[in-house]
Amino acid sequence: MSEFDRVSGLLDDYRAKKLSRRGLMARAAALGIGASAVGSLVARESAVAARQDAPTPGGMLREGYDLDFSRMDPVATTWYDPAFYSLFETVAIDSPEGDLEPMLAESWEISEDGKQVTFKIHEGAKFHSGRAVDAPAIKEVYDAIKNPDNGSPLAVLFTPVESIEAPDATTLVLKMSNPYYEVMNVVKTGYWAIVNIATRDANKETFGQSIVDGTGPFSFKEWVPGSHVEVTKWAEYPGSIVPYYTNKGPAYLDGIKWTAILEGAQRAVQIENGEIDTLRNPLLQDVARLQGNPDLTVQSYSEPSGYIFGQNFERTDLDFHEVKMRQAISHAIDRNAIVKALLFDLGSPLFGPITPADKYYDKEVEQFNQYDVEAAKALVAELGWTPNADGILEKNGVKMAFNLTVQDESFNRDLGSVIQAQLKEIGMDVTVETLDRGSYFGKLSEGTDSYLFYYLWAVPIDVVILFVGTATKGAPNWGRASVPAVDDAIKAWQTAGNEEELVAAGNQFQMSIAETLPTIPVVVRNTVWVNRPNVRGWLPHAYDIYPHYNDVWLAQ
Amino acid sequence: MSNAATPAPFVTSAGTGAPRGPLRVAWSRLSANKLAMVGAIVALLYIVVGIAGPWFTPYDYAKQDLMHANLPPLSPGHILGTDQVGRDMFSRLVLGIRISLVIGFGVTIVSMVIGTIAGSVAGYYRGAIDTVISGIVEITWGFPLVLIAVILSGSVGRGLLAVVLAIGFVNWAGFARIMRGEVLSLREAEYVQAARATGTPDARILVRHILPNAIAPALVMGSYYVALAIIVEAGLSFIGLGAQAPLPSLGVMVAEGRNYMLQNHWVTTVPGVAILIIVLALNLLGDGLRDILDPRLRNR
């Protein structure tokens, strides 16, 4: 009997209620199937069961969130949070299987030369304020993103888009200066979520803080920074055309409240105590305990994110502009040990810029950046650095001593401390500088010796480009990196006219980063979602960074 | 003549009638107080560990071994276990004790010197000088310590210097206040008036006649303030304003382990218990000193 058959058999017993959740976990463990894998299967089962059960309308979903909230203005925010997925919609959406599906656009067509995308906008959608969502309304959003005055942080991803036209109410045309197949992966993300620009323009100071006008199934209630965001059911929601949603009409829930639980250890405790119904990212050291709790379902999978370690190319006195120096630093980092000790095996080493779970991942990157202290020492020696009496590297009277700026968060602090210790092994004296979020980004923009950064983005290559390309030198290319081979690869990615060209460009990009290291990839963590058994229809999945709430209901 | 006018509070007679020095008397009283002796012995032990321990620790306090992280106490080679990045807890604890003691004693000694001078001058001269110094003391006393630490971190950077300056900035005022009160009452004593009448300079009167008789309460207060400084340092380090990684003050160690409380409690409990023991010991010692030095309690 294959493992698949055994798992299927267990799940059949579970569905038939011959086996409790605790029994399922125990039997699965006896078969050598990880709790995480079973958790995902059980979650999927619950979602399927939820579709079969009759949903009960009403109730407030309480979700714990591991970060503080950002402004709910897709055009200008620097980060977006789960509330976005209740308030806003995009033209297209990723299904749990990773396929692009319609959301506000019924369909789209990419021209043969890859230079034009024509969307057919679904009729009937409207904003919370009552305005119809038509092609001109979406054009206004995309124009706002392109307008530098609005400070859209990823507007550069729309650079190839020369014009946005809305010849009629249901047709939206993006015309590009060059083939840009990737544009579909751009417009499905939260920064391209559709808001009512008229409301936004009329409320410039307060939009996203106390006023939100989106198209999602929930309307904004309140945001208390540092505490929570709350939304309420929008009874007039005209419905959704997303194929994978079971519920095409208004939401089942009366509302959702996301609470920022910034003290890491508290997150697991709160879901164990039933103070919240769902949770994003407990501390990884708490995951095994939560997986052993029969009242909870835990899902864990590699998220489209990464921790990167950047050096300031302008510190030429430290040879950070030299590829050999960056390779030496990279060889000194023991990524596998970090995954084991700090991520509790809930993550992967990064030898290239993107997670191994990504569909564009190129395994060839693993020939680079392996842990090799002797190779690291040889590389710094080739550049003329020799250890002084204290074991610290010196060259021309300059000591290899520099700051590592990290954002104040427990994992960041631990990772900073590990990198500090590992670089000491090759004679580098690193001072970890821990800063709160505001000061951290201020320091990065003003210029720092080196930094640790965590990114999260549905299509990782799109965002990594911003940290390494010459075009974004300064911010968010905080290391002021400029590597011609990387710029060439970025150009190939941004001019790919079809999927094949995109894959080839993706490989070229990954290999150029892995070899020349404009930023040093370190590790990727798993995202972990936990829910209590009363939560039905809630289905986080690896192809989107947060779950959607249309199908969610609370069992009594 | 001035010497003759100064009372000698510790000079007394033993049962044999032989004169005894003040230190012997103090020791005799301290050794009779069992709790104070326990406090003194424990504090002494910490001092010895703080001074000599780092030379005998088995590992570098910053040396990580990720493949052996979170080992429990009594693991082979790691008597107190390892922390979340595989650093030896014993080696870090010993250095943490040194850092905490240096801050506790260092800040208190400096605060005591500054506070004693300021309080003595205010109490002796009274008038405008007293008003100004007392005003500064009141303002200082009203500053929230954490706020000062945050401001100082912004100007001198996070780290032990900011902690030392923050604690010192507030604690000197406590000594100044108590010394002012003592000097105010002693300046009217007959032996002080006699010294003044013979033309003895003010500085000499303060140093030779008043301070020796006024310093006892400050010494008692000092023992409490050492404990207080250790706790405050731990608190400020806990919120990230104190010692910076990889330097292990006791507060930093508690902070680093707090997210592992339910899995590897020793990362937090070991330094936490170390703080508890030294603070308790210093308080017991302080109580004993107060009993010895305060004449009102001496015969209880």
Side-chain angles (χ1 to χ4, degrees):
Chain A
M1 187 183 279
S2 70
E3 184 173 280
F4 176 80
D5 293 333
R6 286 193 297 248
V7 173
S8 298
L10 286 177
L11 286 174
D12 286 343
D13 288 349
Y14 177 68
R15 284 182 207 120
K17 302 193 189 314
K18 291 179 188 168
L19 203 57
S20 67
R21 186 189 298 256
R22 186 193 292 271
L24 173 67
M25 302 294 250
R27 297 271 293 277
L31 290 173
I33 302 164
S36 175
V38 180
S40 295
L41 287 171
V42 170
R44 187 63 66 92
E45 283 295 305
S46 301
V48 170
R51 291 171 189 187
Q52 291 162 353
D53 293 350
T56 311
M60 170 76 78
L61 180 76
R62 303 160 302 166
E63 184 165 316
Y65 184 50
D66 58 328
L67 301 171
D68 196 1
F69 304 98
S70 300
R71 188 173 175 168
M72 281 153 283
D73 175 6
V75 176
T77 189
T78 52
W79 190 271
Y80 62 89
D81 307 299
F84 261 57
Y85 283 20
S86 69
L87 295 166
F88 304 113
E89 294 169 317
T90 43
V91 291
I93 184 174
D94 270 319
S95 75
E97 288 73 36
D99 303 321
L100 210 54
E101 292 192 342
M103 197 173 203
L104 288 173
E106 286 177 3
S107 60
W108 50 89
E109 193 179 305
I110 303 173
S111 64
E112 262 187 41
D113 64 1
K115 291 171 76 171
Q116 181 170 314
V117 182
T118 305
F119 293 96
K120 174 149 179 56
I121 305 303
H122 167 65
E123 285 181 89
K126 57 181 184 175
F127 291 106
H128 300 146
S129 58
R131 180 186 172 190
V133 179
D134 51 16
I138 297 175
K139 171 182 158 49
E140 286 174 17
V141 178
Y142 290 175
D143 281 338
I145 290 168
K146 280 186 74 67
N147 182 351
D149 294 344
N150 287 314
S152 175
L154 299 190
V156 68
L157 296 180
F158 237 32
T159 305
V161 178
E162 267 185 335
S163 71
I164 301 143
E165 294 167 12
D168 58 58
T170 59
T171 308
L172 182 79
V173 183
L174 304 185
K175 289 185 175 169
M176 275 84 71
S177 55
N178 52 260
Y180 190 38
Y181 187 78
E182 179 58 10
V183 74
M184 284 309 299
N185 280 331
V186 172
V187 295
K188 74 180 181 187
T189 62
Y191 288 159
W192 274 261
I194 304 307
V195 294
N196 187 352
I197 291 296
T199 309
R200 186 181 182 275
D201 286 347
N203 302 276
K204 278 193 163 46
E205 299 300 315
T206 53
F207 192 86
Q209 295 178 47
S210 56
I211 296 172
V212 171
D213 192 4
T215 67
F218 294 85
S219 56
F220 178 75
K221 184 177 179 190
E222 70 171 355
W223 170 29
V224 179
S227 171
H228 65 271
V229 168
E230 196 170 333
V231 299
T232 51
K233 175 180 178 170
W234 181 32
E236 286 82 42
Y237 180 61
S240 171
I241 59 166
V242 172
Y244 89 83
Y245 289 172
T246 305
N247 174 25
K248 308 290 187 191
Y252 297 130
L253 297 167
D254 287 338
I256 310 170
K257 181 177 182 180
W258 293 268
T259 303
I261 311 173
L262 303 179
E263 188 59 43
Q266 276 302 308
R267 292 198 280 274
V269 172
Q270 287 204 18
I271 195 148
E272 285 172 319
N273 291 345
E275 295 167 54
I276 50 177
D277 305 302
T278 59
L279 171 66
R280 177 181 188 263
N281 286 346
L283 291 178
L284 295 179
Q285 56 265 38
D286 290 331
V287 171
R289 188 176 88 241
L290 295 174
Q291 284 173 330
N293 185 332
D295 289 335
L296 301 175
T297 300
V298 180
Q299 297 176 75
S300 164
Y301 45 77
S302 184
E303 69 177 14
S305 72
Y307 286 88
I308 56 175
F309 176 28
Q311 291 75 40
N312 191 339
F313 275 45
E314 290 175 356
R315 286 299 306 267
T316 50
D317 56 329
L318 298 179
D319 281 343
F320 284 163
H321 64 300
E322 296 280 359
V323 66
K324 283 183 181 173
M325 178 56 74
R326 301 192 299 275
Q327 287 171 338
I329 291 172
S330 185
H331 279 309
I333 297 173
D334 187 353
R335 294 166 175 81
N336 288 311
I338 292 171
V339 169
K340 178 178 161 49
L342 294 189
L343 295 176
F344 297 83
D345 287 324
L346 294 166
S348 314
L350 279 182
F351 301 105
I354 62 172
T355 167
D358 191 89
K359 68 174 179 176
Y360 293 112
Y361 183 70
D362 183 357
K363 207 172 160 51
E364 290 297 309
V365 296
E366 292 170 20
Q367 65 186 286
F368 300 102
N369 304 310
Q370 295 290 338
Y371 179 53
D372 188 342
V373 173
E374 292 313 312
K377 286 179 176 171
L379 284 164
V380 291
E382 280 178 41
L383 289 171
W385 293 86
T386 50
N388 66 14
D390 298 326
I392 304 299
L393 295 171
E394 265 192 42
K395 179 181 168 184
N396 302 329
V398 177
K399 273 189 187 174
M400 179 51 79
F402 58 91
N403 275 6
L404 169 59
T405 305
V406 304
Q407 194 176 337
D408 196 0
E409 189 272 334
S410 60
F411 180 79
N412 287 336
R413 283 195 300 270
D414 284 346
L415 185 55
S417 153
V418 167
I419 288 176
Q420 179 185 50
Q422 293 186 344
L423 294 189
K424 196 179 175 192
E425 295 294 315
I426 60 166
M428 297 188 175
D429 182 13
V430 179
T431 302
V432 178
E433 181 185 31
T434 311
L435 299 175
D436 61 76
R437 187 180 169 87
S439 311
Y440 169 79
F441 281 105
K443 187 71 188 274
L444 260 51
S445 296
E446 138 200 337
T448 182
D449 297 343
S450 70
Y451 63 92
L452 262 182
F453 183 74
Y454 162 75
Y455 73 81
L456 172 64
W457 192 251
V459 187
I461 291 179
D462 276 346
V463 78
V464 174
I465 281 172
L466 307 179
F467 309 134
V468 296
T470 304
T472 48
K473 209 168 160 182
N477 174 354
W478 297 292
R480 280 81 175 152
S482 183
V483 180
V486 171
D487 287 339
D488 289 346
I490 292 173
K491 192 174 176 191
W493 175 262
Q494 292 185 331
T495 56
N498 55 51
E499 183 67 23
E500 273 177 23
E501 286 178 21
L502 200 63
V503 170
N507 291 349
Q508 182 187 347
F509 179 72
Q510 290 173 73
M511 293 297 278
S512 68
I513 298 275
E515 189 170 4
T516 66
L517 299 170
T519 61
I520 295 175
V522 185
V523 290
V524 54
R525 56 165 290 158
N526 282 11
T527 191
V528 180
W529 296 94
V530 189
N531 67 285
R532 296 193 64 81
N534 61 322
V535 180
R536 306 292 175 87
W538 186 73
L539 186 60
H541 64 81
Y543 295 96
D544 214 342
I545 57 178
Y546 306 122
H548 289 261
Y549 299 91
N550 299 58
D551 288 341
V552 182
W553 56 279
L554 294 172
Q556 298 303 309
Chain B
M1 179 172 174
S2 59
N3 280 344
T6 305
F10 293 113
V11 176
T12 180
S13 304
T16 59
R20 297 172 63 190
L23 283 178
R24 285 192 69 179
V25 173
W27 171 248
S28 156
R29 288 185 187 141
L30 187 65
S31 55
N33 184 332
K34 287 192 173 62
L35 284 177
M37 280 304 291
V38 169
I41 290 167
V42 171
L44 193 65
L45 201 63
Y46 265 70
I47 291 169
V48 170
V49 168
I51 292 171
W55 292 322
F56 301 103
T57 49
Y59 301 93
D60 178 347
Y61 69 89
K63 176 78 180 169
Q64 298 181 357
D65 181 358
L66 292 178
M67 291 305 176
H68 294 95
N70 298 312
L71 293 179
L74 304 180
S75 296
H78 301 282
I79 189 167
L80 293 179
T82 59
D83 68 7
Q84 75 280 7
V85 289
R87 294 174 296 203
D88 181 57
M89 286 292 294
F90 176 72
S91 305
R92 289 178 67 74
L93 182 75
V94 166
L95 188 65
I97 287 173
R98 173 186 276 190
I99 290 170
S100 292
L101 288 182
V102 166
I103 287 179
F105 282 101
V107 173
T108 303
I109 289 168
V110 174
S111 304
M112 191 190 290
V113 170
I114 295 170
T116 298
I117 294 169
S120 302
V121 168
Y124 186 77
Y125 289 106
R126 299 188 295 187
I129 292 175
D130 183 24
T131 306
V132 170
I133 293 177
S134 295
I136 295 171
V137 166
E138 293 304 323
I139 291 169
T140 304
W141 206 240
F143 266 108
L145 187 59
V146 173
L147 179 63
I148 295 169
V150 170
I151 293 169
L152 286 168
S153 305
S155 52
V156 303
R158 292 182 185 201
L160 291 175
L161 179 62
V163 170
V164 166
L165 291 175
I167 303 173
F169 184 82
V170 172
N171 280 9
W172 75 272
F175 289 106
R177 217 177 208 187
I178 203 163
M179 285 304 293
R180 175 182 171 273
E182 291 293 318
V183 173
L184 263 179
S185 64
L186 287 175
R187 76 183 298 281
E188 304 303 334
E190 283 182 5
Y191 65 90
V192 175
Q193 289 186 12
R196 209 178 287 134
T198 58
T200 310
D202 288 347
R204 187 176 171 83
I205 293 173
L206 268 172
V207 173
R208 295 293 300 274
H209 303 292
I210 295 181
L211 273 185
N213 295 296
I215 198 72
L219 289 173
V220 173
M221 194 174 183
S223 68
Y224 293 124
Y225 269 36
V226 172
L228 184 69
I230 289 171
I231 290 179
V232 170
E233 184 279 324
L236 292 176
S237 292
F238 186 85
I239 59 172
L241 297 177
Q244 297 297 297
L247 211 56
S249 85
L250 296 177
V252 167
M253 292 176 73
V254 171
E256 286 176 341
R258 73 182 190 276
N259 284 331
Y260 297 84
M261 279 289 284
L262 294 176
Q263 293 84 24
N264 319 313
H265 66 83
W266 57 89
V267 183
T268 290
T269 48
V270 165
V273 169
I275 294 172
L276 174 77
I277 292 173
I278 183 61
V279 170
L280 182 63
L282 287 168
N283 280 329
L284 291 174
L285 180 62
D287 286 347
L289 286 175
R290 187 193 57 197
D291 293 349
I292 295 163
L293 298 174
D294 187 339
R296 288 163 298 189
L297 300 173
R298 202 175 293 158
N299 297 322
R300 280 189 185 176

